[in-house]
Amino acid sequence: MLSSGLTLIFSMMGVLNFAHASFYMLGAYVAYSMAGWLGFWPALFLAPLAVGAMGALFERGALRRVHKFGHVAELLITFGLSYVVLELVQLVWGRTAVPFSPPASLQGAAFTLVHAPGQGLQWVWGEAAPALCAAASCSKFPLTRAFMMLVALGMLVALWLLLTRTRIGLVIQAALTHPEMVESLGHNVPRVFMLVFGSGCALAALAGVIGGITFVTEPAMAVIVGSIIFVVVVVGGVGSLAGAFVASILIGLLQTLPLTVDASLASLFKATPDTFGYPLLKLTLAQVAPILPYLLMVLILIFRPKGLLGNRED
């Protein structure tokens, strides 16, 4: 969900927004405040709109002014914005986590996996799970994560339809490659860029609302996801929406599946403490799982700089 908004901004504007994760955090906090007044579901729709408007104002008042100085100036101003947003969040909501809980309709399990001896693995829906879990091992899949998956897929389909099947999408894509021609046809190119940047920030805020109720709403939430979304964008192909989707699944599997493996090269090759490089060889796959996405990014940059589904430039 985060990488789609970042990909939209970069592919349409050529701006690598370092403050993207900050808009994700801001979406969670704004929704938390709105949910106290209006309830969660209105906040789910209104908070992304509010944060998107903030992003559009930032593009209009600051980012547009430094665009003529090149990509370095754009990187620096978005990098500075991330620190400003972090300090403002800590001033308004404090430095500790806030109690942003999911609504009653999203609490509980979407389904339960029951592994009964002699019966294999079963999917159980509804109220039958507690009775079966008394005599078998069970694993519950939270309803909030199922909701997150549905929204992420809906966001991907909506973005693809918008950019490839609507007149607005054609104008947005043409404004990047042929801005003079688009202006000659009567379109306001700076306004198009402002709306694109605001839309990307709104998508990040939508991810923040759902991430806030699924995980923890705290000032460190931007730092936790800030680096990994750039890995996803680079691996998938900078500017490729389909690449961001594929890379998101790949990075997610690469981060989670190795956590279940407690093997190491030392045990595989039967190395002893006297073996050269033993401190590295004894590291288990579960221990090195957090750095695997970054190693994959390095390999992608070496052997396929355009990413998995990125476009080649002749």
Side-chain angles (χ1 to χ4, degrees):
M1 295 175 70
L2 272 169
S3 58
S4 61
L6 185 62
T7 300
L8 175 68
I9 293 175
F10 185 85
S11 61
M12 297 297 105
M13 299 179 61
V15 176
L16 196 57
N17 182 17
F18 265 89
H20 197 69
S22 298
F23 288 106
Y24 161 81
M25 172 180 63
L26 200 57
Y29 276 98
V30 172
Y32 163 73
S33 297
M34 287 186 174
W37 307 327
L38 306 172
F40 172 77
W41 295 108
L44 178 65
F45 293 96
L46 294 177
L49 294 178
V51 175
M54 297 178 194
L57 290 175
F58 170 73
E59 194 281 335
R60 176 65 179 85
L63 188 59
R64 187 179 303 180
R65 297 178 183 272
V66 303
H67 180 70
K68 59 184 176 182
F69 299 113
H71 293 304
V72 175
E74 293 171 342
L75 289 175
L76 289 176
I77 196 170
T78 56
F79 188 70
L81 176 65
S82 64
Y83 283 97
V84 173
V85 172
L86 176 61
E87 293 300 327
L88 287 176
V89 164
Q90 291 178 342
L91 284 173
V92 176
W93 288 281
R95 297 178 180 272
T96 58
V98 295
F100 191 19
S101 303
S105 56
L106 290 180
Q107 294 181 2
F111 57 86
T112 304
L113 291 175
V114 180
H115 185 70
Q119 298 181 5
L121 194 64
Q122 303 177 30
W123 295 63
V124 180
W125 308 83
E127 300 298 329
L132 292 176
C133 289
S137 59
C138 297
S139 177
K140 296 182 179 181
F141 191 81
L143 195 56
T144 52
R145 291 182 180 266
F147 179 66
M148 181 188 299
M149 293 171 62
L150 288 176
V151 174
L153 290 175
M155 179 188 296
L156 177 71
V157 173
L159 275 178
W160 179 76
L161 291 175
L162 174 68
L163 295 176
T164 61
R165 296 294 186 269
T166 65
R167 180 179 177 84
I168 296 176
L170 295 178
V171 171
I172 290 174
Q173 295 185 68
L176 176 65
T177 56
H178 301 85
E180 295 84 3
M181 182 64 71
V182 173
E183 283 186 341
S184 67
L185 293 175
H187 299 286
N188 190 329
V189 173
R191 183 179 298 173
V192 170
F193 285 164
M194 181 181 71
L195 293 176
V196 168
F197 191 88
S199 299
C201 295
L203 292 177
L206 177 59
V209 178
I210 301 176
I213 62 172
T214 305
F215 308 113
V216 181
T217 303
E218 58 178 354
M221 64 188 300
V223 179
I224 294 173
V225 300
S227 59
I228 200 65
I229 59 173
F230 288 100
V231 175
V232 170
V233 171
V234 170
V235 171
V238 178
S240 172
L241 191 61
F245 176 71
V246 173
S248 296
I249 297 177
L250 179 62
I251 296 300
L253 293 174
L254 198 60
Q255 280 187 309
T256 54
L257 291 183
L259 294 176
T260 63
V261 181
D262 199 24
S264 65
L265 291 177
S267 60
L268 179 63
F269 296 108
K270 296 183 174 21
T272 63
D274 297 331
T275 305
F276 177 77
Y278 181 77
L280 292 177
L281 295 176
K282 72 176 183 178
L283 294 176
T284 64
L285 194 58
Q287 290 176 313
V288 300
I291 68 171
L292 292 180
Y294 302 97
L295 293 178
L296 176 62
M297 182 184 69
V298 172
L299 294 176
I300 287 291
L301 289 173
I302 293 174
F303 297 105
R304 190 177 173 84
K306 290 300 177 183
L308 296 176
L309 299 178
N311 296 323
R312 292 180 60 90
E313 292 182 2
D314 296 327

